[in-house]
PDB file of all heavy atoms in Angstrom:
ATOM      1  N   SER A   1     -25.237  11.784  -3.790  1.00  0.00           N
ATOM      2  CA  SER A   1     -24.104  12.326  -4.539  1.00  0.00           C
ATOM      3  C   SER A   1     -24.571  13.224  -5.677  1.00  0.00           C
ATOM      4  O   SER A   1     -23.916  14.214  -6.011  1.00  0.00           O
ATOM      5  CB  SER A   1     -23.230  11.190  -5.085  1.00  0.00           C
ATOM      6  OG  SER A   1     -23.926  10.454  -6.056  1.00  0.00           O
ATOM      7  N   LEU A   2     -25.703  12.881  -6.304  1.00  0.00           N
ATOM      8  CA  LEU A   2     -26.238  13.728  -7.359  1.00  0.00           C
ATOM      9  C   LEU A   2     -26.643  15.090  -6.804  1.00  0.00           C
ATOM     10  O   LEU A   2     -26.428  16.127  -7.433  1.00  0.00           O
ATOM     11  CB  LEU A   2     -27.427  13.046  -8.030  1.00  0.00           C
ATOM     12  CG  LEU A   2     -27.086  11.848  -8.926  1.00  0.00           C
ATOM     13  CD1 LEU A   2     -28.362  11.144  -9.368  1.00  0.00           C
ATOM     14  CD2 LEU A   2     -26.269  12.285 -10.128  1.00  0.00           C
ATOM     15  N   ARG A   3     -27.237  15.091  -5.619  1.00  0.00           N
ATOM     16  CA  ARG A   3     -27.630  16.363  -5.005  1.00  0.00           C
ATOM     17  C   ARG A   3     -26.408  17.197  -4.634  1.00  0.00           C
ATOM     18  O   ARG A   3     -26.405  18.413  -4.779  1.00  0.00           O
ATOM     19  CB  ARG A   3     -28.488  16.107  -3.755  1.00  0.00           C
ATOM     20  CG  ARG A   3     -29.888  15.595  -4.055  1.00  0.00           C
ATOM     21  CD  ARG A   3     -30.772  15.693  -2.832  1.00  0.00           C
ATOM     22  NE  ARG A   3     -30.277  14.927  -1.717  1.00  0.00           N
ATOM     23  CZ  ARG A   3     -30.558  13.655  -1.488  1.00  0.00           C
ATOM     24  NH1 ARG A   3     -31.332  12.985  -2.342  1.00  0.00           N
ATOM     25  NH2 ARG A   3     -30.076  13.024  -0.424  1.00  0.00           N
ATOM     26  N   ARG A   4     -25.355  16.508  -4.163  1.00  0.00           N
ATOM     27  CA  ARG A   4     -24.163  17.234  -3.712  1.00  0.00           C
ATOM     28  C   ARG A   4     -23.170  17.489  -4.839  1.00  0.00           C
ATOM     29  O   ARG A   4     -22.210  18.225  -4.663  1.00  0.00           O
ATOM     30  CB  ARG A   4     -23.445  16.417  -2.625  1.00  0.00           C
ATOM     31  CG  ARG A   4     -24.266  16.204  -1.364  1.00  0.00           C
ATOM     32  CD  ARG A   4     -23.508  15.292  -0.427  1.00  0.00           C
ATOM     33  NE  ARG A   4     -24.241  15.057   0.808  1.00  0.00           N
ATOM     34  CZ  ARG A   4     -23.811  14.233   1.766  1.00  0.00           C
ATOM     35  NH1 ARG A   4     -22.685  13.569   1.608  1.00  0.00           N
ATOM     36  NH2 ARG A   4     -24.525  14.073   2.865  1.00  0.00           N
ATOM     37  N   SER A   5     -23.372  16.860  -6.009  1.00  0.00           N
ATOM     38  CA  SER A   5     -22.455  16.908  -7.137  1.00  0.00           C
ATOM     39  C   SER A   5     -21.119  16.236  -6.822  1.00  0.00           C
ATOM     40  O   SER A   5     -20.145  16.413  -7.548  1.00  0.00           O
ATOM     41  CB  SER A   5     -22.187  18.371  -7.576  1.00  0.00           C
ATOM     42  OG  SER A   5     -23.390  18.963  -7.978  1.00  0.00           O
ATOM     43  N   ARG A   6     -21.023  15.474  -5.745  1.00  0.00           N
ATOM     44  CA  ARG A   6     -19.807  14.764  -5.373  1.00  0.00           C
ATOM     45  C   ARG A   6     -20.179  13.532  -4.567  1.00  0.00           C
ATOM     46  O   ARG A   6     -21.179  13.535  -3.837  1.00  0.00           O
ATOM     47  CB  ARG A   6     -18.881  15.627  -4.500  1.00  0.00           C
ATOM     48  CG  ARG A   6     -18.130  16.716  -5.229  1.00  0.00           C
ATOM     49  CD  ARG A   6     -16.999  16.147  -6.076  1.00  0.00           C
ATOM     50  NE  ARG A   6     -16.221  17.207  -6.699  1.00  0.00           N
ATOM     51  CZ  ARG A   6     -16.508  17.749  -7.866  1.00  0.00           C
ATOM     52  NH1 ARG A   6     -17.583  17.345  -8.538  1.00  0.00           N
ATOM     53  NH2 ARG A   6     -15.743  18.692  -8.373  1.00  0.00           N
ATOM     54  N   THR A   7     -19.373  12.469  -4.687  1.00  0.00           N
ATOM     55  CA  THR A   7     -19.513  11.335  -3.782  1.00  0.00           C
ATOM     56  C   THR A   7     -18.663  11.599  -2.547  1.00  0.00           C
ATOM     57  O   THR A   7     -18.012  12.632  -2.430  1.00  0.00           O
ATOM     58  CB  THR A   7     -19.025  10.035  -4.452  1.00  0.00           C
ATOM     59  OG1 THR A   7     -17.609  10.130  -4.650  1.00  0.00           O
ATOM     60  CG2 THR A   7     -19.712   9.806  -5.784  1.00  0.00           C
ATOM     61  N   SER A   8     -18.655  10.640  -1.631  1.00  0.00           N
ATOM     62  CA  SER A   8     -17.764  10.736  -0.470  1.00  0.00           C
ATOM     63  C   SER A   8     -16.570   9.812  -0.664  1.00  0.00           C
ATOM     64  O   SER A   8     -15.984   9.333   0.302  1.00  0.00           O
ATOM     65  CB  SER A   8     -18.524  10.360   0.807  1.00  0.00           C
ATOM     66  OG  SER A   8     -19.033   9.040   0.706  1.00  0.00           O
ATOM     67  N   LEU A   9     -16.198   9.566  -1.932  1.00  0.00           N
ATOM     68  CA  LEU A   9     -15.108   8.644  -2.250  1.00  0.00           C
ATOM     69  C   LEU A   9     -13.884   9.396  -2.757  1.00  0.00           C
ATOM     70  O   LEU A   9     -13.997  10.395  -3.469  1.00  0.00           O
ATOM     71  CB  LEU A   9     -15.543   7.648  -3.320  1.00  0.00           C
ATOM     72  CG  LEU A   9     -16.697   6.703  -2.982  1.00  0.00           C
ATOM     73  CD1 LEU A   9     -17.047   5.874  -4.208  1.00  0.00           C
ATOM     74  CD2 LEU A   9     -16.327   5.813  -1.810  1.00  0.00           C
ATOM     75  N   TRP A  10     -12.710   8.896  -2.388  1.00  0.00           N
ATOM     76  CA  TRP A  10     -11.455   9.338  -2.972  1.00  0.00           C
ATOM     77  C   TRP A  10     -10.912   8.230  -3.860  1.00  0.00           C
ATOM     78  O   TRP A  10     -10.964   7.053  -3.488  1.00  0.00           O
ATOM     79  CB  TRP A  10     -10.402   9.627  -1.912  1.00  0.00           C
ATOM     80  CG  TRP A  10     -10.653  10.806  -1.053  1.00  0.00           C
ATOM     81  CD1 TRP A  10     -11.660  11.718  -1.158  1.00  0.00           C
ATOM     82  CD2 TRP A  10      -9.851  11.204   0.068  1.00  0.00           C
ATOM     83  NE1 TRP A  10     -11.551  12.662  -0.169  1.00  0.00           N
ATOM     84  CE2 TRP A  10     -10.437  12.369   0.597  1.00  0.00           C
ATOM     85  CE3 TRP A  10      -8.711  10.700   0.671  1.00  0.00           C
ATOM     86  CZ2 TRP A  10      -9.911  13.034   1.704  1.00  0.00           C
ATOM     87  CZ3 TRP A  10      -8.180  11.347   1.773  1.00  0.00           C
ATOM     88  CH2 TRP A  10      -8.777  12.515   2.283  1.00  0.00           C
ATOM     89  N   ALA A  11     -10.368   8.588  -5.003  1.00  0.00           N
ATOM     90  CA  ALA A  11      -9.608   7.642  -5.813  1.00  0.00           C
ATOM     91  C   ALA A  11      -8.126   7.821  -5.480  1.00  0.00           C
ATOM     92  O   ALA A  11      -7.619   8.946  -5.497  1.00  0.00           O
ATOM     93  CB  ALA A  11      -9.846   7.881  -7.297  1.00  0.00           C
ATOM     94  N   VAL A  12      -7.462   6.728  -5.146  1.00  0.00           N
ATOM     95  CA  VAL A  12      -6.015   6.744  -4.943  1.00  0.00           C
ATOM     96  C   VAL A  12      -5.410   5.920  -6.075  1.00  0.00           C
ATOM     97  O   VAL A  12      -5.525   4.696  -6.100  1.00  0.00           O
ATOM     98  CB  VAL A  12      -5.628   6.171  -3.568  1.00  0.00           C
ATOM     99  CG1 VAL A  12      -4.106   6.178  -3.407  1.00  0.00           C
ATOM    100  CG2 VAL A  12      -6.274   6.991  -2.457  1.00  0.00           C
ATOM    101  N   ILE A  13      -4.802   6.613  -7.033  1.00  0.00           N
ATOM    102  CA  ILE A  13      -4.246   5.963  -8.220  1.00  0.00           C
ATOM    103  C   ILE A  13      -2.743   5.808  -8.022  1.00  0.00           C
ATOM    104  O   ILE A  13      -2.002   6.799  -8.030  1.00  0.00           O
ATOM    105  CB  ILE A  13      -4.548   6.775  -9.494  1.00  0.00           C
ATOM    106  CG1 ILE A  13      -6.056   7.034  -9.618  1.00  0.00           C
ATOM    107  CG2 ILE A  13      -4.019   6.061 -10.728  1.00  0.00           C
ATOM    108  CD1 ILE A  13      -6.436   7.964 -10.770  1.00  0.00           C
ATOM    109  N   ILE A  14      -2.299   4.574  -7.809  1.00  0.00           N
ATOM    110  CA  ILE A  14      -0.883   4.308  -7.590  1.00  0.00           C
ATOM    111  C   ILE A  14      -0.289   3.655  -8.831  1.00  0.00           C
ATOM    112  O   ILE A  14      -0.993   3.093  -9.661  1.00  0.00           O
ATOM    113  CB  ILE A  14      -0.648   3.439  -6.346  1.00  0.00           C
ATOM    114  CG1 ILE A  14      -1.339   2.086  -6.494  1.00  0.00           C
ATOM    115  CG2 ILE A  14      -1.138   4.173  -5.099  1.00  0.00           C
ATOM    116  CD1 ILE A  14      -1.041   1.140  -5.355  1.00  0.00           C
ATOM    117  N   SER A  15       1.036   3.697  -8.931  1.00  0.00           N
ATOM    118  CA  SER A  15       1.679   3.239 -10.160  1.00  0.00           C
ATOM    119  C   SER A  15       1.963   1.748 -10.179  1.00  0.00           C
ATOM    120  O   SER A  15       2.155   1.177 -11.253  1.00  0.00           O
ATOM    121  CB  SER A  15       2.982   4.020 -10.388  1.00  0.00           C
ATOM    122  OG  SER A  15       3.807   3.969  -9.243  1.00  0.00           O
ATOM    123  N   ASP A  16       2.008   1.080  -9.018  1.00  0.00           N
ATOM    124  CA  ASP A  16       2.305  -0.352  -9.014  1.00  0.00           C
ATOM    125  C   ASP A  16       1.828  -0.971  -7.711  1.00  0.00           C
ATOM    126  O   ASP A  16       2.492  -0.857  -6.679  1.00  0.00           O
ATOM    127  CB  ASP A  16       3.808  -0.593  -9.199  1.00  0.00           C
ATOM    128  CG  ASP A  16       4.156  -2.076  -9.326  1.00  0.00           C
ATOM    129  OD1 ASP A  16       3.232  -2.916  -9.285  1.00  0.00           O
ATOM    130  OD2 ASP A  16       5.353  -2.387  -9.471  1.00  0.00           O
ATOM    131  N   ILE A  17       0.701  -1.655  -7.751  1.00  0.00           N
ATOM    132  CA  ILE A  17       0.131  -2.238  -6.532  1.00  0.00           C
ATOM    133  C   ILE A  17       0.999  -3.371  -5.991  1.00  0.00           C
ATOM    134  O   ILE A  17       0.904  -3.743  -4.826  1.00  0.00           O
ATOM    135  CB  ILE A  17      -1.300  -2.741  -6.810  1.00  0.00           C
ATOM    136  CG1 ILE A  17      -2.091  -2.885  -5.504  1.00  0.00           C
ATOM    137  CG2 ILE A  17      -1.285  -4.052  -7.595  1.00  0.00           C
ATOM    138  CD1 ILE A  17      -3.564  -3.129  -5.719  1.00  0.00           C
ATOM    139  N   GLY A  18       1.880  -3.929  -6.831  1.00  0.00           N
ATOM    140  CA  GLY A  18       2.763  -4.995  -6.386  1.00  0.00           C
ATOM    141  C   GLY A  18       3.991  -4.510  -5.646  1.00  0.00           C
ATOM    142  O   GLY A  18       4.754  -5.318  -5.111  1.00  0.00           O
ATOM    143  N   ASN A  19       4.191  -3.199  -5.586  1.00  0.00           N
ATOM    144  CA  ASN A  19       5.363  -2.643  -4.911  1.00  0.00           C
ATOM    145  C   ASN A  19       5.035  -2.388  -3.446  1.00  0.00           C
ATOM    146  O   ASN A  19       4.121  -1.617  -3.138  1.00  0.00           O
ATOM    147  CB  ASN A  19       5.771  -1.334  -5.592  1.00  0.00           C
ATOM    148  CG  ASN A  19       7.112  -0.815  -5.111  1.00  0.00           C
ATOM    149  OD1 ASN A  19       7.509  -1.028  -3.969  1.00  0.00           O
ATOM    150  ND2 ASN A  19       7.811  -0.118  -5.982  1.00  0.00           N
ATOM    151  N   PRO A  20       5.779  -3.015  -2.504  1.00  0.00           N
ATOM    152  CA  PRO A  20       5.461  -2.829  -1.077  1.00  0.00           C
ATOM    153  C   PRO A  20       5.591  -1.392  -0.604  1.00  0.00           C
ATOM    154  O   PRO A  20       5.057  -1.042   0.450  1.00  0.00           O
ATOM    155  CB  PRO A  20       6.462  -3.748  -0.365  1.00  0.00           C
ATOM    156  CG  PRO A  20       7.527  -4.047  -1.364  1.00  0.00           C
ATOM    157  CD  PRO A  20       6.877  -3.982  -2.709  1.00  0.00           C
ATOM    158  N   PHE A  21       6.277  -0.535  -1.373  1.00  0.00           N
ATOM    159  CA  PHE A  21       6.364   0.879  -1.020  1.00  0.00           C
ATOM    160  C   PHE A  21       4.983   1.491  -0.835  1.00  0.00           C
ATOM    161  O   PHE A  21       4.747   2.307   0.046  1.00  0.00           O
ATOM    162  CB  PHE A  21       7.137   1.631  -2.116  1.00  0.00           C
ATOM    163  CG  PHE A  21       6.954   3.119  -2.097  1.00  0.00           C
ATOM    164  CD1 PHE A  21       7.657   3.913  -1.208  1.00  0.00           C
ATOM    165  CD2 PHE A  21       6.074   3.744  -2.970  1.00  0.00           C
ATOM    166  CE1 PHE A  21       7.483   5.292  -1.189  1.00  0.00           C
ATOM    167  CE2 PHE A  21       5.897   5.109  -2.962  1.00  0.00           C
ATOM    168  CZ  PHE A  21       6.611   5.893  -2.069  1.00  0.00           C
ATOM    169  N   PHE A  22       4.026   1.075  -1.687  1.00  0.00           N
ATOM    170  CA  PHE A  22       2.713   1.705  -1.682  1.00  0.00           C
ATOM    171  C   PHE A  22       1.807   1.191  -0.565  1.00  0.00           C
ATOM    172  O   PHE A  22       0.806   1.823  -0.253  1.00  0.00           O
ATOM    173  CB  PHE A  22       2.034   1.523  -3.032  1.00  0.00           C
ATOM    174  CG  PHE A  22       2.656   2.338  -4.126  1.00  0.00           C
ATOM    175  CD1 PHE A  22       3.455   1.751  -5.095  1.00  0.00           C
ATOM    176  CD2 PHE A  22       2.466   3.710  -4.174  1.00  0.00           C
ATOM    177  CE1 PHE A  22       4.034   2.503  -6.089  1.00  0.00           C
ATOM    178  CE2 PHE A  22       3.043   4.482  -5.169  1.00  0.00           C
ATOM    179  CZ  PHE A  22       3.837   3.867  -6.135  1.00  0.00           C
ATOM    180  N   THR A  23       2.122   0.055   0.027  1.00  0.00           N
ATOM    181  CA  THR A  23       1.245  -0.515   1.048  1.00  0.00           C
ATOM    182  C   THR A  23       1.090   0.424   2.230  1.00  0.00           C
ATOM    183  O   THR A  23      -0.023   0.774   2.646  1.00  0.00           O
ATOM    184  CB  THR A  23       1.789  -1.874   1.522  1.00  0.00           C
ATOM    185  OG1 THR A  23       1.975  -2.733   0.397  1.00  0.00           O
ATOM    186  CG2 THR A  23       0.840  -2.516   2.515  1.00  0.00           C
ATOM    187  N   SER A  24       2.220   0.828   2.793  1.00  0.00           N
ATOM    188  CA  SER A  24       2.182   1.730   3.943  1.00  0.00           C
ATOM    189  C   SER A  24       1.680   3.114   3.559  1.00  0.00           C
ATOM    190  O   SER A  24       0.966   3.762   4.329  1.00  0.00           O
ATOM    191  CB  SER A  24       3.583   1.827   4.563  1.00  0.00           C
ATOM    192  OG  SER A  24       3.592   2.673   5.684  1.00  0.00           O
ATOM    193  N   MET A  25       2.018   3.550   2.362  1.00  0.00           N
ATOM    194  CA  MET A  25       1.569   4.864   1.909  1.00  0.00           C
ATOM    195  C   MET A  25       0.046   4.941   1.829  1.00  0.00           C
ATOM    196  O   MET A  25      -0.580   5.899   2.301  1.00  0.00           O
ATOM    197  CB  MET A  25       2.180   5.169   0.545  1.00  0.00           C
ATOM    198  CG  MET A  25       1.963   6.595   0.074  1.00  0.00           C
ATOM    199  SD  MET A  25       2.264   6.771  -1.684  1.00  0.00           S
ATOM    200  CE  MET A  25       0.698   6.162  -2.341  1.00  0.00           C
ATOM    201  N   VAL A  26      -0.568   3.913   1.239  1.00  0.00           N
ATOM    202  CA  VAL A  26      -2.027   3.896   1.111  1.00  0.00           C
ATOM    203  C   VAL A  26      -2.683   3.802   2.480  1.00  0.00           C
ATOM    204  O   VAL A  26      -3.746   4.396   2.713  1.00  0.00           O
ATOM    205  CB  VAL A  26      -2.476   2.739   0.195  1.00  0.00           C
ATOM    206  CG1 VAL A  26      -3.989   2.585   0.209  1.00  0.00           C
ATOM    207  CG2 VAL A  26      -1.994   2.977  -1.236  1.00  0.00           C
TER     208      VAL A  26
END
């Protein structure tokens, strides 16, 4: 990642992990 200046990871920042709406979306 240092060589590429990027990892192979995405951050998915959701507003409420307890809301079932986000389960299918993620």
